[in-house]
């Protein structure tokens, strides 16, 4: 009998971080719909503020007391504790959207004159924020592509003339909608090549596509694992939220900025996400199984061209090596080219009977959309073409339905093409 048993995250999602005795014995955390919290004494209020404002170090076993729901709230604190388990992070901060999680990290760790290096393609909202808002406040950017060699990237950073101002490498892997992989450990090595003790270079990874189950960026050297919790973590297409996992030091800074931007999640959203986390593992496992069946069906279909699915990366390639080191499953997002072009892709999308025609991903229901005219319509056409995002491409988020039903639906829709 092993007496130091370490429970797996999926086993802790129902209880971790919650004490029933503090809530009349309720087995589930109530929704703490309150703006403010009553102090037992003036001394207690003073002590809570000293810790919250960093006026002194926390004493041994002293917990941060509850003050005001913009600073902390039980539903968010319990949720954050649970989210640390998947990434094995020291701390986590939850937000009212994935975009607010991403933008708060960028704003806290970048200043005017700094250089941000980022992968392409990026989520549209992130791309817009970097190239419009950050540019406006004087942050310089440099893009790299999946498959670009580390030495080449380092040379590009040196040639920019701003290598001494490099402060962050931001990557999204697998990339949306092509499923191209970025090697996170290689990003860490590039960051370390330019970091100094006074000026660390942070590595941030948007882990929405594979996390929190199938990819753990912190284990590969990233400083941040960032989520649109709207997707797999929420998983039911019924809320918008975000999260960032990292160290005590970095998340402490992120939470401080969150307090002043006021972009924390609401107690109700926190509670919804806790409910979602209880089934995260079973949902995502089933979605990955379904995706493999769907990918194999599509690859064998005469009206389908290329299928973009991490499970099909050929062995012996650098990408396969990255995939093997970095991901524990092939995920449940895939794209494919319908033979022909936009007209053929649209015929397929309009003929679907069960799979819904909608953007977003990671929910229980399967969704299909057309990247070239929908999620990636804002991307420069030449750039879009270079990334293989053509009129033929359809992106699928595979849900928890029976895979035979998803395949039947795609099959009958393809027949009408
Ligand atoms: C949806 C998404 C976002 C933005 O998240 P919101 O919750 O919609 O704000 C960021 N990155 C990726 C990869 C996404 O899919």
């Amino acid at each position: 009998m092993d007496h130091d048993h370490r429970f797996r995250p999926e086993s802790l999602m129902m209880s971790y971080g919650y004490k029933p005795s503090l809530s009349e014995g309720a087995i589930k955390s109530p929704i703490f719909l309150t703006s403010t919290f009553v102090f037992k004494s003036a001394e207690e209020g003073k002590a809570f503020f000293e810790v919250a404002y960093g006026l002194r170090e926390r004493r041994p076993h002293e917990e941060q007391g509850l003050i005001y729901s913009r600073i902390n709230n039980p539903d968010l604190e319990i949720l954050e504790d649970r989210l640390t388990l998947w990434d094995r992070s020291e701390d986590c901060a939850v937000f009212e959207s994935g975009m607010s999680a991403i933008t708060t990290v960028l704003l806290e760790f970048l200043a005017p004159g700094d250089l941000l290096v980022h992968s392409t393609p990026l989520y549209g909202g992130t791309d817009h924020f970097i190239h419009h808002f950050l540019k406006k406040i004087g942050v310089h950017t440099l893009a790299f592509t999946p498959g670009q060699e580390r030495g080449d990237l380092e040379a590009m950073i040196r040639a920019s003339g701003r290598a001494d101002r490099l402060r962050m490498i931001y990557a999204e892997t697998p990339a949306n909608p092509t499923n191209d992989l970025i090697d996170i450990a290689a990003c860490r090595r590039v960051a370390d090549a330019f970091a100094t003790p006074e000026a660390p270079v942070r590595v941030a990874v948007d882990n929405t596509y594979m996390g929190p189950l199938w990819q753990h960026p912190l284990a590969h050297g990233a400083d941040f694992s960032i989520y649109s919790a709207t997707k797999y973590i929420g998983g039911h297409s019924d809320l918008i939220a975000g999260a960032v996992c990292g160290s005590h030091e970095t998340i402490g800074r992120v939470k401080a900025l969150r307090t002043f931007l006021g972009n924390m999640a609401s107690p109700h959203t926190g509670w919804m996400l806790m409910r979602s986390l209880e089934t995260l593992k079973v949902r995502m496992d089933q979605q990955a199984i379904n995706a493999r069946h769907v990918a194999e069906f599509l690859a064998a279909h005469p009206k389908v061209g290329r299928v973009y699915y991490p499970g099909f990366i050929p062995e012996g390639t650098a990408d396969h090596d990255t995939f093997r080191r970095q991901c524990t499953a092939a995920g449940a997002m895939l794209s494919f080219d319908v033979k022909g072009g936009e007209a053929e892709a649209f015929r397929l999308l309009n003929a679907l009977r069960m799979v819904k025609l909608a953007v977003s991903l990671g929910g229980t229901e399967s969704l299909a959309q057309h990247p070239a005219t929908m999620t990636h319509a804002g991307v420069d056409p030449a750039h879009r073409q270079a990334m293989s995002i053509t009129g033929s491409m359809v992106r699928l988020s595979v849900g928890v339905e029976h895979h035979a039903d998803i395949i039947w639906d795609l099959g009958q829709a393809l027949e009408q093409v």
Side-chain angles (χ1 to χ4, degrees):
M1 183 81 194
D2 147 29
H3 288 279
D4 304 315
H5 185 72
R6 183 178 183 142
F7 290 108
R8 291 160 182 80
E10 62 266 39
S11 307
L12 293 171
M13 285 303 120
M14 282 60 83
S15 60
Y16 189 74
Y18 172 65
K19 297 191 190 96
S21 61
L22 295 179
S23 297
E24 307 280 4
I27 191 164
K28 290 294 151 184
S29 171
I31 308 180
F32 287 86
L33 287 177
T34 187
S35 58
T36 194
F37 296 85
V38 180
F39 304 137
K40 290 198 188 85
S41 64
E43 288 76 10
E44 187 188 69
K46 178 182 174 186
F48 288 0
F49 270 95
E50 283 171 350
V51 174
Y53 283 4
L55 302 178
R56 64 168 170 81
E57 287 296 306
R58 227 183 270 196
R59 301 194 180 99
H61 308 295
E62 182 180 16
E63 289 190 22
Q64 169 64 60
L66 294 161
I67 297 175
Y68 183 70
S69 286
R70 179 157 44 74
I71 302 172
N72 48 12
N73 175 284
D75 291 292
L76 302 195
E77 291 193 340
I78 301 163
L79 169 65
E80 287 168 347
D81 286 348
R82 290 183 189 173
L83 284 170
T84 63
L85 298 175
W86 300 98
D87 278 291
R88 295 199 175 182
S89 63
E90 290 175 2
D91 204 354
C92 171
V94 293
F95 289 85
E96 62 185 353
S97 68
M99 279 314 301
S100 54
I102 293 165
T103 54
T104 304
V105 168
L106 293 170
L107 287 171
E108 176 58 27
F109 292 93
L110 293 168
D114 284 350
L115 175 65
L116 166 69
V117 166
H118 68 87
S119 66
T120 50
L122 283 180
Y123 179 74
T126 310
D127 192 80
H128 185 94
F129 185 79
I130 287 176
H131 294 110
H132 292 83
F133 186 80
L134 288 185
K135 185 176 169 208
K136 192 174 77 181
I137 63 167
V139 173
H140 302 276
T141 59
L142 201 57
F144 67 100
T145 51
Q148 194 167 341
E149 293 288 328
R150 178 157 59 97
D152 187 35
L153 176 55
E154 290 184 4
M156 211 171 78
I157 294 169
R158 283 200 188 88
S160 75
R162 302 185 193 281
D164 61 326
R165 293 299 301 268
L166 175 65
R167 292 293 178 271
M168 187 183 286
I169 300 182
Y170 183 99
E172 203 175 302
T173 181
N176 169 20
T178 53
N179 274 330
D180 287 316
L181 300 182
I182 305 284
D183 184 340
I184 299 167
C187 291
R188 174 80 269 160
R189 287 195 289 274
V190 173
D192 288 346
F194 294 94
T196 63
E198 306 75 51
V201 179
R202 319 279 180 175
V203 175
V205 175
D206 183 330
N207 200 31
T208 302
Y209 252 52
M210 282 282 184
L213 224 63
W214 303 315
Q215 180 172 272
H216 300 115
L218 306 185
H220 302 281
D223 297 294
F224 299 105
S225 177
I226 310 182
Y227 295 98
S228 166
T230 309
K231 315 296 166 53
Y232 288 102
I233 295 174
H236 295 72
S237 308
D238 56 5
L239 60 83
I240 301 279
V244 188
C245 293
S247 69
H248 286 309
E249 185 249 329
T250 55
I251 299 298
R253 285 179 56 179
V254 168
K255 282 183 174 170
L257 183 57
R258 183 184 68 175
T259 292
F260 300 110
L261 293 176
N263 54 359
M264 67 295 155
S266 74
H268 184 259
T269 300
W271 186 92
M272 295 274 281
L273 287 169
M274 282 195 269
R275 179 162 192 147
S276 292
L277 281 179
E278 297 192 7
T279 56
L280 179 81
K281 177 77 164 50
V282 289
R283 281 187 281 115
M284 291 184 77
D285 278 349
Q286 189 60 49
Q287 285 169 282
I289 291 169
N290 288 354
R292 175 157 290 276
H293 286 291
V294 171
E296 282 168 2
F297 164 78
L298 289 170
H301 199 285
K303 290 186 182 170
V304 173
R306 187 166 160 203
V307 178
Y308 306 76
Y309 172 62
F312 290 162
I313 300 172
E315 281 187 38
T317 58
D319 270 357
H320 191 265
D321 179 53
T322 305
F323 175 68
R324 205 177 36 75
R325 278 185 289 109
Q326 204 163 281
C327 309
T328 57
M333 289 300 297
L334 52 96
S335 298
F336 60 98
D337 292 332
V338 183
K339 284 186 185 163
E342 181 179 305
E344 287 73 16
F346 275 20
R347 272 199 95 101
L348 168 104
L349 289 168
N350 290 334
L352 291 167
R353 294 206 217 159
M354 179 187 76
V355 176
K356 296 287 182 289
L357 173 52
V359 299
S360 196
L361 61 105
T364 44
E365 67 281 275
S366 295
L367 301 177
Q369 64 108 359
H370 189 252
T373 59
M374 296 172 191
T375 50
H376 293 68
V379 178
D380 164 63
H383 190 198
R384 209 161 53 212
Q385 198 72 28
M387 294 188 296
S388 317
I389 307 171
T390 65
S392 309
M393 183 188 266
V394 169
R395 188 189 80 179
L396 272 184
S397 167
V398 179
V400 301
E401 305 93 340
H402 197 293
H403 48 78
D405 290 330
I406 306 170
I407 289 171
W408 178 86
D409 199 17
L410 290 166
Q412 65 81 23
L414 279 164
E415 243 170 56
Q416 301 182 45
V417 171

